[in-house]
Amino acid sequence: KLIPNVTEKLLDFNSNAKGNPYVGQDKIGENKFIINKVKILNHRWIIADFSDGNIWGEVLLKYFVNDDESISFEVDQSLLYPKQ
């Protein structure tokens, strides 16, 4: 029950006009960064794959389930892959 809920909440941020704020990267060029794939590692950590269709990267996130059962996220590290 928790894993699909956390994944859905994180992917909901893809609709933000400036891109998903939890990729840890500012918009480069015209396209916004969105999260494509989410892997929940354990009770605290998520690794996610993101791209803007041209540039790809990964982000390591912490997630927290709050007392009111809302979910919050915090970027720990973000990495952009060099273009080949």
Side-chain angles (χ1 to χ4, degrees), residues 47-71:
I47 192 163
D49 171 63
F50 65 89
S51 78
D52 68 356
N54 210 9
I55 302 169
W56 298 84
E58 288 184 318
V59 62
L60 182 64
L61 298 164
K62 283 184 183 180
Y63 74 95
F64 306 92
V65 179
N66 304 313
D67 292 338
D68 62 357
E69 296 189 15
S70 65
I71 298 167

Side-chain angles (χ1 to χ4, degrees), residues 18-32:
K18 292 184 179 181
N20 194 313
Y22 295 107
V23 299
Q25 301 288 332
D26 292 330
K27 186 174 167 181
I28 301 172
E30 293 182 19
N31 298 331
K32 64 183 183 176

Side-chain angles (χ1 to χ4, degrees), residues 2-77:
L2 178 65
I3 290 174
N5 192 24
V6 170
T7 301
E8 179 184 344
K9 297 290 184 204
L10 184 57
L11 292 177
D12 283 348
F13 288 102
N14 283 346
S15 62
N16 186 319
K18 292 184 179 181
N20 194 313
Y22 295 107
V23 299
Q25 301 288 332
D26 292 330
K27 186 174 167 181
I28 301 172
E30 293 182 19
N31 298 331
K32 64 183 183 176
F33 283 115
I34 60 168
I35 291 178
N36 302 309
K37 234 184 327 185
V38 176
K39 179 167 173 117
I40 297 182
L41 303 175
N42 58 29
H43 68 287
R44 180 65 63 220
W45 296 97
I46 297 171
I47 192 163
D49 171 63
F50 65 89
S51 78
D52 68 356
N54 210 9
I55 302 169
W56 298 84
E58 288 184 318
V59 62
L60 182 64
L61 298 164
K62 283 184 183 180
Y63 74 95
F64 306 92
V65 179
N66 304 313
D67 292 338
D68 62 357
E69 296 189 15
S70 65
I71 298 167
S72 56
F73 301 96
E74 180 182 301
V75 175
D76 188 68
Q77 292 183 21

